[in-house]
Amino acid sequence: MAKFIHTIESLSTWFGRAFGWCILILTLSVSYEVFVRYVLNAPTVWAFDMMVQMYGALFMMAGAYTLAQDGHVRGDVLYRLFPVRVQAMIDFVLYILFFFPGMLALFWFGAEIASDSWRYKEVSWNSPARIQIYYFKTLIPVAGGLLIIQGVAELLRCWIAMRHGHWLERIEDVRETEDMASSFDLDASTK
């Protein structure tokens, strides 16, 4: 079961890394727009739309990655004080009651929205460039599907924790700098 969970996490991590490149595209497009607008006095008609779509793609496609890395915000004032089995039971119930219905709705209605958008080749109505947006609307059900798949892995992780009393290790990708600093402090103190 651990191999199955880690395979799903690897998929979520791959998508998160792939769409993480949107940050570079965002940075370059904003820099270009600032330069041509304020230095050359020749603003573009496409830069705003590019930024909105890249940010939207990044936001939508980072959800499963963040879930795989246990990076979503959690109100754990009391939760962290509970034994692992109780934490897992709480998570299991909350995934069933709230997460999956929401993600199924995102997938289902997102697929309808994307289908309609493809059918009439939707363009941005608030853009002077009138760029096509149906490609990006396709990311709505894709993100929902990835979150559902990662949610299954999280349910299995909860099941293991309820049975064995410890959390299955996650595939580690990146770490926050404050986490890295504290691990360096621990390494230095043990020498």
Side-chain angles (χ1 to χ4, degrees):
M1 192 178 311
K3 185 175 181 179
F4 179 72
I5 293 169
H6 287 146
T7 300
I8 292 173
E9 285 181 359
S10 296
L11 176 71
S12 297
T13 300
W14 186 87
F15 273 99
R17 287 179 183 171
F19 278 86
W21 286 99
C22 291
I23 294 171
L24 180 61
I25 297 168
L26 269 166
T27 302
L28 293 174
S29 61
V30 168
S31 299
Y32 177 77
E33 174 63 18
V34 167
F35 177 75
V36 298
R37 178 178 297 257
Y38 295 109
V39 175
L40 303 178
N41 198 24
T44 65
V45 294
W46 55 265
F48 175 75
D49 295 310
M50 166 74 88
M51 290 179 253
V52 168
Q53 290 189 10
M54 287 297 106
Y55 179 73
L58 176 64
F59 180 80
M60 291 294 294
M61 299 306 289
Y65 169 80
T66 307
L67 188 58
Q69 296 295 312
D70 195 29
H72 285 286
V73 175
R74 179 191 305 265
D76 64 351
V77 176
L78 297 175
Y79 175 89
R80 63 189 165 102
L81 302 174
F82 296 143
V84 171
R85 283 187 166 97
V86 174
Q87 290 177 350
M89 196 177 313
I90 290 169
D91 283 354
F92 191 87
V93 169
L94 292 177
Y95 275 114
I96 297 294
L97 291 179
F98 297 107
F99 178 81
F100 282 107
M103 293 308 104
L104 287 168
L106 179 67
F107 177 76
W108 183 266
F109 293 112
E112 286 182 9
I113 290 168
S115 175
D116 289 344
S117 185
W118 274 90
R119 188 172 53 252
Y120 54 84
K121 305 292 187 213
E122 185 176 8
V123 296
S124 176
W125 56 269
N126 63 349
S127 165
R130 307 283 294 162
I131 63 167
Q132 299 168 337
I133 60 175
Y134 49 93
Y135 299 110
F136 288 96
K137 285 200 174 181
T138 304
L139 293 179
I140 299 169
V142 171
L146 286 171
L147 280 161
I148 290 168
I149 293 168
Q150 183 60 44
V152 169
E154 296 301 317
L155 271 184
L156 294 174
R157 182 180 298 283
C158 291
W159 183 260
I160 290 171
M162 286 188 292
R163 293 191 71 211
H164 300 289
H166 62 85
W167 289 106
L168 178 66
E169 290 293 319
R170 292 185 181 273
I171 295 176
E172 195 169 308
D173 185 34
V174 295
R175 293 173 45 193
E176 296 289 335
T177 52
E178 56 267 4
D179 293 340
M180 291 170 52
S182 65
S183 69
F184 289 136
D185 293 341
L186 289 174
D187 290 341
S189 66
T190 57
K191 290 184 181 179

